[in-house]
Amino acid sequence: MAHFAKINSNNIVEEVIVVNNQEVPDETTGVAFCKNLFGEDTNWIQTSYNNNFRGKFAGVGMKYDPDKDEFVSPGL
């Protein structure tokens, strides 16, 4: 299963969803899939449940740091 984090304009995670890997073979397709479901004006970034990339698994309230390309805990 693939996990995608919806982030707002301040890079704060608002929600995380799970999508079947058969629907989204890669991140680009996954982002397009999420935008199709939730609106083109939404922002989505793939997160790793196993912490294989982007630091740690995204959770609601966490922040996405685009310079580090990872999710960080609030206040960091």
Side-chain angles (χ1 to χ4, degrees):
M1 298 307 241
H3 298 81
F4 288 85
K6 178 183 174 187
I7 61 169
N8 65 21
S9 60
N10 293 319
N11 290 329
I12 304 297
V13 177
E14 294 185 337
E15 73 178 291
V16 178
I17 64 168
V18 181
V19 180
N20 189 314
N21 285 342
Q22 293 177 341
E23 297 289 335
V24 294
D26 56 48
E27 183 172 13
T28 301
T29 306
V31 168
F33 181 85
C34 293
K35 285 179 175 260
N36 186 51
L37 285 177
F38 296 96
E40 288 296 319
D41 61 337
T42 57
N43 294 311
W44 296 88
I45 299 176
Q46 190 169 8
T47 185
S48 171
Y49 185 77
N50 297 318
N51 303 326
N52 291 331
F53 54 90
R54 298 215 165 94
K56 57 178 88 172
F57 184 70
V60 173
M62 292 178 72
K63 185 170 187 170
Y64 173 69
D65 183 331
D67 294 326
K68 294 180 181 178
D69 190 27
E70 62 185 39
F71 293 97
V72 296
S73 298
L76 296 179

XYZ file of all heavy atoms in Angstrom:
599
model
N 0.832 -1.176 0.000
C 0.000 0.000 0.000
C 0.884 1.250 0.000
O 1.917 1.279 0.637
C -0.893 0.009 1.232
C -1.840 -1.171 1.294
S -2.793 -1.315 -0.194
C -4.410 -1.126 0.376
N 0.427 2.259 -0.702
C 1.129 3.535 -0.760
C 0.407 4.533 0.147
O -0.816 4.498 0.269
C 1.161 4.049 -2.190
N 1.170 5.396 0.774
C 0.613 6.399 1.679
C 0.959 7.789 1.149
O 2.104 8.039 0.759
C 1.198 6.225 3.079
C 0.868 4.910 3.695
N 1.569 3.759 3.396
C -0.088 4.560 4.573
C 1.045 2.749 4.080
N 0.044 3.219 4.800
N -0.039 8.675 1.176
C 0.154 10.037 0.695
C -0.336 11.024 1.734
O -1.406 10.845 2.321
C -0.593 10.251 -0.632
C 0.064 9.539 -1.773
C -0.225 8.210 -2.030
C 0.998 10.182 -2.570
C 0.391 7.527 -3.062
C 1.624 9.514 -3.606
C 1.319 8.178 -3.855
N 0.472 12.055 1.958
C 0.142 13.097 2.927
C -0.362 14.332 2.187
O 0.271 14.791 1.236
C 1.377 13.460 3.753
N -1.487 14.839 2.636
C -2.018 16.099 2.106
C -1.414 17.215 2.949
O -1.529 17.219 4.175
C -3.538 16.125 2.222
C -4.156 17.412 1.732
C -5.661 17.368 1.956
C -6.298 18.698 1.607
N -7.721 18.710 1.990
N -0.752 18.157 2.281
C -0.145 19.274 3.007
C -0.793 20.590 2.577
O -1.191 20.743 1.432
C 1.389 19.331 2.824
C 1.773 19.520 1.362
C 2.046 18.087 3.402
C 3.226 19.849 1.159
N -0.862 21.510 3.532
C -1.446 22.818 3.216
C -0.363 23.775 2.733
O 0.799 23.390 2.567
C -2.225 23.367 4.421
C -1.355 23.680 5.622
O -0.141 23.881 5.521
N -1.975 23.707 6.790
N -0.718 25.040 2.541
C 0.221 26.027 1.990
C 1.381 26.332 2.935
O 2.388 26.881 2.515
C -0.522 27.313 1.631
O -1.127 27.858 2.781
N 1.243 25.947 4.206
C 2.337 26.123 5.181
C 3.142 24.842 5.364
O 3.917 24.728 6.315
C 1.772 26.574 6.525
C 1.172 27.961 6.441
O 1.729 28.855 5.803
N 0.022 28.145 7.053
N 2.915 23.861 4.484
C 3.594 22.568 4.525
C 3.252 21.738 5.757
O 4.039 20.884 6.177
C 5.112 22.719 4.385
C 5.514 23.152 3.004
O 4.861 22.829 2.025
N 6.588 23.911 2.909
N 2.080 21.968 6.348
C 1.616 21.187 7.487
C 0.736 20.049 6.971
O -0.134 20.248 6.125
C 0.814 22.058 8.481
C 1.651 23.257 8.937
C 0.316 21.237 9.664
C 2.900 22.904 9.695
N 0.960 18.850 7.495
C 0.181 17.683 7.089
C -1.231 17.791 7.659
O -1.417 17.942 8.866
C 0.852 16.377 7.576
C -0.002 15.169 7.217
C 2.253 16.239 6.990
N -2.218 17.715 6.777
C -3.623 17.777 7.181
C -4.268 16.402 7.265
O -5.192 16.200 8.042
C -4.409 18.657 6.214
C -3.986 20.105 6.250
C -4.845 20.994 5.377
O -5.484 20.493 4.418
O -4.884 22.197 5.652
N -3.812 15.473 6.449
C -4.329 14.103 6.499
C -3.386 13.189 5.741
O -2.570 13.635 4.940
C -5.752 13.998 5.959
C -5.906 14.115 4.470
C -7.353 13.951 4.016
O -7.897 12.841 4.117
O -7.924 14.949 3.554
N -3.503 11.901 6.030
C -2.721 10.884 5.340
C -3.696 9.809 4.868
O -4.556 9.377 5.627
C -1.650 10.268 6.270
C -0.868 9.182 5.552
C -0.699 11.349 6.796
N -3.547 9.420 3.600
C -4.436 8.397 3.058
C -3.620 7.215 2.540
O -2.420 7.341 2.277
C -5.347 8.952 1.938
C -4.525 9.416 0.731
C -6.228 10.077 2.458
C -5.381 9.688 -0.501
N -4.292 6.093 2.389
C -3.687 4.870 1.859
C -4.309 4.591 0.494
O -5.523 4.675 0.331
C -3.956 3.687 2.802
C -3.318 2.418 2.264
C -3.451 3.992 4.206
N -3.452 4.266 -0.466
C -3.907 3.973 -1.821
C -3.292 2.640 -2.246
O -2.116 2.375 -1.982
C -3.485 5.087 -2.805
C -3.955 4.784 -4.208
C -3.988 6.445 -2.346
N -4.086 1.825 -2.903
C -3.617 0.538 -3.386
C -2.482 0.729 -4.385
O -2.581 1.551 -5.297
C -4.790 -0.207 -4.043
C -4.454 -1.630 -4.390
O -3.407 -1.924 -4.946
N -5.366 -2.517 -4.069
N -1.419 -0.036 -4.232
C -0.271 0.068 -5.142
C -0.643 -0.185 -6.591
O 0.016 0.325 -7.496
C 0.825 -0.920 -4.734
C 1.585 -0.473 -3.520
O 1.563 0.695 -3.145
N 2.259 -1.403 -2.872
N -1.678 -0.963 -6.839
C -2.094 -1.214 -8.219
C -2.669 0.041 -8.858
O -2.644 0.186 -10.074
C -3.102 -2.358 -8.267
C -2.478 -3.684 -7.888
C -3.477 -4.817 -7.866
O -4.680 -4.603 -7.791
N -2.976 -6.031 -7.930
N -3.188 0.949 -8.050
C -3.717 2.219 -8.555
C -2.596 3.211 -8.836
O -2.738 4.086 -9.688
C -4.683 2.846 -7.539
C -5.916 2.045 -7.257
C -6.901 2.029 -8.414
O -6.902 2.968 -9.234
O -7.667 1.064 -8.495
N -1.510 3.115 -8.081
C -0.437 4.108 -8.155
C 0.937 3.431 -8.181
O 1.547 3.201 -7.159
C -0.527 5.117 -6.994
C -1.765 5.958 -7.100
C -0.510 4.433 -5.644
N 1.441 3.133 -9.357
C 2.735 2.461 -9.444
C 3.935 3.336 -9.074
O 5.015 2.823 -8.814
C 2.808 2.038 -10.913
C 1.929 3.015 -11.627
C 0.842 3.358 -10.661
N 3.742 4.664 -9.029
C 4.834 5.561 -8.662
C 4.249 6.830 -8.024
O 3.033 7.029 -8.011
C 5.697 5.914 -9.874
C 4.896 6.517 -11.013
O 4.087 7.445 -10.764
O 5.054 6.065 -12.155
N 5.118 7.674 -7.486
C 4.649 8.857 -6.771
C 3.898 9.835 -7.679
O 2.860 10.378 -7.286
C 5.809 9.583 -6.088
C 5.352 10.768 -5.276
C 6.438 11.393 -4.423
O 7.628 11.071 -4.620
O 6.086 12.212 -3.561
N 4.370 10.053 -8.879
C 3.714 10.992 -9.785
C 2.279 10.564 -10.074
O 1.348 11.374 -10.022
C 4.507 11.112 -11.104
O 5.835 11.556 -10.796
C 3.855 12.091 -12.046
N 2.093 9.295 -10.352
C 0.754 8.765 -10.599
C -0.096 8.854 -9.335
O -1.285 9.168 -9.394
C 0.833 7.304 -11.084
O 1.695 7.242 -12.218
C -0.538 6.768 -11.448
N 0.521 8.601 -8.179
C -0.190 8.688 -6.905
C -0.677 10.087 -6.598
O -1.810 10.280 -6.144
N 0.161 11.072 -6.842
C -0.234 12.465 -6.619
C -1.400 12.826 -7.537
O -2.377 13.441 -7.111
C 0.970 13.417 -6.811
C 0.513 14.863 -6.866
C 1.988 13.214 -5.699
N -1.314 12.429 -8.795
C -2.401 12.702 -9.741
C -3.689 12.011 -9.293
O -4.781 12.591 -9.390
C -2.004 12.242 -11.146
N -3.577 10.792 -8.795
C -4.731 10.042 -8.299
C -5.388 10.794 -7.133
O -6.612 10.958 -7.090
C -4.271 8.648 -7.863
C -5.358 7.767 -7.344
C -6.136 7.013 -8.209
C -5.596 7.672 -5.982
C -7.137 6.183 -7.726
C -6.592 6.846 -5.489
C -7.372 6.099 -6.363
N -4.582 11.262 -6.187
C -5.101 12.001 -5.028
C -5.763 13.303 -5.455
O -6.835 13.656 -4.958
C -3.973 12.278 -4.029
S -3.306 10.808 -3.240
N -5.134 14.025 -6.367
C -5.708 15.282 -6.846
C -7.036 15.041 -7.568
O -7.955 15.847 -7.466
C -4.727 16.011 -7.761
C -3.590 16.660 -7.008
C -2.639 17.349 -7.972
C -1.580 18.106 -7.241
N -1.857 19.526 -7.153
N -7.127 13.940 -8.284
C -8.364 13.602 -8.963
C -9.484 13.346 -7.952
O -10.625 13.730 -8.175
C -8.162 12.383 -9.862
C -9.372 12.071 -10.707
O -9.908 12.943 -11.377
N -9.805 10.825 -10.672
N -9.151 12.714 -6.839
C -10.147 12.413 -5.804
C -10.527 13.630 -4.958
O -11.687 13.834 -4.622
C -9.624 11.329 -4.857
C -9.605 9.908 -5.368
C -8.978 8.991 -4.321
C -11.003 9.435 -5.703
N -9.518 14.434 -4.597
C -9.715 15.490 -3.612
C -9.642 16.911 -4.169
O -9.841 17.869 -3.437
C -8.695 15.347 -2.475
C -8.867 14.074 -1.704
C -8.101 12.959 -2.003
C -9.803 13.985 -0.690
C -8.260 11.777 -1.292
C -9.971 12.817 0.027
C -9.200 11.703 -0.275
N -9.333 17.046 -5.450
C -9.283 18.361 -6.073
C -7.893 18.741 -6.540
O -6.901 18.447 -5.872
N -7.857 19.374 -7.685
C -6.582 19.789 -8.279
C -5.843 20.823 -7.432
O -4.637 20.996 -7.579
C -6.807 20.337 -9.690
C -7.147 19.274 -10.705
C -6.019 18.265 -10.914
O -4.841 18.658 -10.957
O -6.338 17.069 -11.020
N -6.556 21.512 -6.554
C -5.924 22.551 -5.734
C -5.312 21.989 -4.453
O -4.833 22.739 -3.610
C -6.931 23.650 -5.402
C -8.123 23.132 -4.610
O -8.419 21.922 -4.686
O -8.765 23.948 -3.924
N -5.296 20.663 -4.290
C -4.690 20.052 -3.113
C -3.246 19.664 -3.406
O -2.862 19.477 -4.561
C -5.483 18.802 -2.667
O -5.552 17.877 -3.760
C -6.896 19.172 -2.228
N -2.437 19.546 -2.351
C -1.024 19.186 -2.485
C -0.768 17.871 -1.748
O -1.095 17.749 -0.562
C -0.123 20.274 -1.905
C -0.210 21.554 -2.688
O -0.108 21.543 -3.911
N -0.408 22.658 -2.012
N -0.145 16.924 -2.434
C 0.096 15.595 -1.891
C 1.558 15.210 -2.056
O 2.181 15.517 -3.072
C -0.771 14.565 -2.611
C -2.216 14.813 -2.391
C -3.037 15.616 -3.133
C -3.018 14.307 -1.329
N -4.300 15.620 -2.606
C -4.322 14.820 -1.484
C -2.769 13.449 -0.256
C -5.355 14.512 -0.623
C -3.806 13.134 0.607
C -5.087 13.664 0.426
N 2.094 14.520 -1.050
C 3.464 14.026 -1.087
C 3.444 12.611 -0.531
O 2.819 12.349 0.509
C 4.412 14.914 -0.258
C 4.424 16.332 -0.823
C 5.817 14.331 -0.234
C 5.240 17.305 -0.020
N 4.140 11.706 -1.189
C 4.171 10.328 -0.701
C 5.004 10.250 0.571
O 6.019 10.931 0.730
C 4.741 9.392 -1.765
C 4.572 7.938 -1.394
C 4.886 7.003 -2.542
O 5.373 7.412 -3.588
N 4.610 5.733 -2.338
N 4.550 9.412 1.493
C 5.269 9.175 2.741
C 5.472 7.675 2.899
O 4.740 6.877 2.296
C 4.498 9.782 3.938
O 5.275 9.626 5.124
C 3.126 9.166 4.115
N 6.453 7.285 3.664
C 6.787 5.872 3.815
C 6.414 5.363 5.197
O 6.944 5.833 6.208
C 8.288 5.667 3.587
O 8.665 4.351 3.920
N 5.515 4.393 5.238
C 5.095 3.781 6.499
C 6.282 3.116 7.198
O 6.355 3.071 8.426
C 3.991 2.758 6.233
C 3.408 2.165 7.483
C 2.508 2.887 8.261
C 3.753 0.887 7.899
C 1.971 2.357 9.415
C 3.218 0.345 9.055
C 2.336 1.089 9.806
O 1.803 0.549 10.947
N 7.243 2.625 6.421
C 8.424 1.954 6.968
C 9.613 2.896 7.137
O 10.719 2.441 7.407
C 8.831 0.784 6.068
C 7.754 -0.267 6.008
O 7.158 -0.605 7.021
N 7.469 -0.773 4.825
N 9.373 4.200 6.960
C 10.432 5.207 7.086
C 11.575 4.981 6.100
O 12.726 5.294 6.389
C 10.976 5.268 8.519
C 9.901 5.552 9.527
O 8.951 6.269 9.263
N 10.030 4.988 10.717
N 11.261 4.454 4.919
C 12.288 4.192 3.912
C 12.735 5.455 3.185
O 13.797 5.466 2.576
C 11.781 3.167 2.886
C 11.625 1.797 3.496
O 12.321 1.437 4.432
N 10.692 1.028 2.976
N 11.924 6.488 3.225
C 12.296 7.761 2.594
C 11.520 8.883 3.273
O 10.541 8.650 3.970
C 12.041 7.742 1.071
C 10.643 7.374 0.672
C 9.665 8.348 0.518
C 10.297 6.060 0.429
C 8.372 8.012 0.140
C 9.010 5.712 0.039
C 8.045 6.691 -0.098
N 11.994 10.114 3.099
C 11.393 11.324 3.655
C 11.398 11.333 5.182
O 10.466 11.799 5.832
C 9.999 11.562 3.105
C 10.024 11.774 1.594
C 8.998 12.768 1.136
N 9.311 13.179 -0.210
C 8.805 12.622 -1.319
N 7.919 11.658 -1.231
N 9.167 13.070 -2.491
N 12.459 10.832 5.761
C 12.651 10.946 7.208
C 11.816 9.971 8.006
O 12.278 8.918 8.394
N 10.576 10.335 8.236
C 9.674 9.483 9.004
C 8.288 9.531 8.394
O 8.006 10.394 7.571
C 9.655 9.893 10.474
C 9.276 11.347 10.718
C 9.213 11.697 12.193
C 10.552 12.129 12.704
N 10.519 12.651 14.044
N 7.452 8.614 8.831
C 6.088 8.558 8.329
C 5.338 9.827 8.721
O 5.377 10.252 9.878
C 5.384 7.320 8.899
C 3.995 7.114 8.381
C 3.774 6.744 7.070
C 2.907 7.295 9.211
C 2.489 6.535 6.583
C 1.612 7.089 8.742
C 1.415 6.710 7.425
N 4.675 10.439 7.769
C 3.947 11.683 8.023
C 2.722 11.426 8.892
O 2.025 10.429 8.722
C 3.508 12.313 6.706
N 2.487 12.341 9.809
C 1.292 12.299 10.635
C 0.639 13.674 10.636
O 1.306 14.696 10.378
N -0.637 13.720 10.930
C -1.360 14.989 10.973
C -0.660 15.929 11.958
O -0.303 15.538 13.061
C -2.834 14.766 11.367
C -3.546 16.090 11.580
C -3.542 13.941 10.302
N -0.423 17.158 11.508
C 0.232 18.165 12.337
C 1.733 18.244 12.118
O 2.362 19.214 12.536
N 2.315 17.241 11.473
C 3.744 17.296 11.169
C 3.975 18.288 10.036
O 3.034 18.722 9.380
C 4.269 15.910 10.789
C 4.267 14.934 11.938
S 4.845 13.293 11.462
C 6.593 13.606 11.260
N 5.231 18.622 9.811
C 5.577 19.572 8.762
C 6.460 18.884 7.729
O 7.306 18.058 8.073
C 6.307 20.777 9.352
C 6.581 21.857 8.339
C 7.072 23.129 8.974
C 7.164 24.202 7.905
N 7.397 25.512 8.465
N 6.243 19.246 6.467
C 7.102 18.776 5.395
C 8.161 19.842 5.160
O 7.838 21.011 4.926
C 6.306 18.530 4.112
C 7.193 18.211 2.937
C 7.891 17.004 2.888
C 7.361 19.109 1.899
C 8.724 16.715 1.822
C 8.185 18.822 0.827
C 8.866 17.627 0.799
O 9.697 17.349 -0.248
N 9.423 19.457 5.244
C 10.544 20.369 4.993
C 11.040 20.114 3.570
O 11.708 19.108 3.313
C 11.658 20.110 6.004
C 12.826 21.069 5.851
O 13.087 21.553 4.722
O 13.495 21.340 6.869
N 10.709 21.013 2.628
C 11.098 20.776 1.230
C 12.607 20.830 1.004
O 13.111 20.198 0.078
C 10.369 21.878 0.459
C 10.061 22.928 1.461
C 9.938 22.242 2.782
N 13.344 21.559 1.843
C 14.793 21.618 1.679
C 15.447 20.278 2.010
O 16.385 19.856 1.357
C 15.395 22.718 2.556
C 14.953 24.106 2.126
O 14.756 24.323 0.906
O 14.790 24.975 3.004
N 14.931 19.617 3.038
C 15.449 18.304 3.433
C 14.708 17.164 2.743
O 15.149 16.028 2.793
C 15.313 18.119 4.946
C 16.164 19.052 5.753
C 15.953 18.798 7.235
C 16.784 19.736 8.081
N 16.525 19.515 9.520
N 13.553 17.487 2.128
C 12.665 16.505 1.515
C 12.290 15.426 2.523
O 12.416 14.231 2.270
C 13.290 15.877 0.269
C 12.288 15.019 -0.520
O 11.067 15.292 -0.439
O 12.731 14.067 -1.192
N 11.831 15.896 3.713
C 11.405 14.947 4.730
C 10.342 15.583 5.637
O 10.202 16.799 5.685
C 12.563 14.421 5.540
C 13.322 15.446 6.328
C 14.540 14.855 7.025
O 15.241 14.005 6.447
O 14.795 15.272 8.163
N 9.642 14.706 6.332
C 8.636 15.147 7.295
C 9.299 15.263 8.654
O 10.099 14.412 9.044
C 7.484 14.143 7.342
C 6.687 14.109 6.066
C 6.947 13.158 5.105
C 5.705 15.055 5.829
C 6.223 13.133 3.912
C 4.986 15.046 4.635
C 5.249 14.085 3.681
N 8.968 16.337 9.376
C 9.559 16.573 10.694
C 8.448 16.800 11.711
O 7.350 17.251 11.364
C 10.541 17.766 10.677
C 11.731 17.466 9.781
C 9.859 19.034 10.228
N 8.756 16.517 12.953
C 7.807 16.721 14.032
C 7.538 18.206 14.229
O 8.410 19.041 13.932
C 8.341 16.116 15.332
O 8.509 14.732 15.169
N 6.367 18.560 14.750
C 6.056 19.978 14.993
C 7.106 20.613 15.893
O 7.624 19.983 16.805
C 4.696 19.937 15.692
C 4.124 18.615 15.355
C 5.285 17.687 15.155
N 7.434 21.852 15.606
C 8.398 22.584 16.420
C 9.835 22.401 15.988
O 10.734 23.029 16.525
N 10.091 21.546 15.009
C 11.475 21.337 14.554
C 11.727 22.067 13.257
O 10.895 22.325 12.487
C 11.761 19.842 14.362
C 11.695 19.007 15.629
C 11.966 17.549 15.288
C 12.692 19.473 16.663
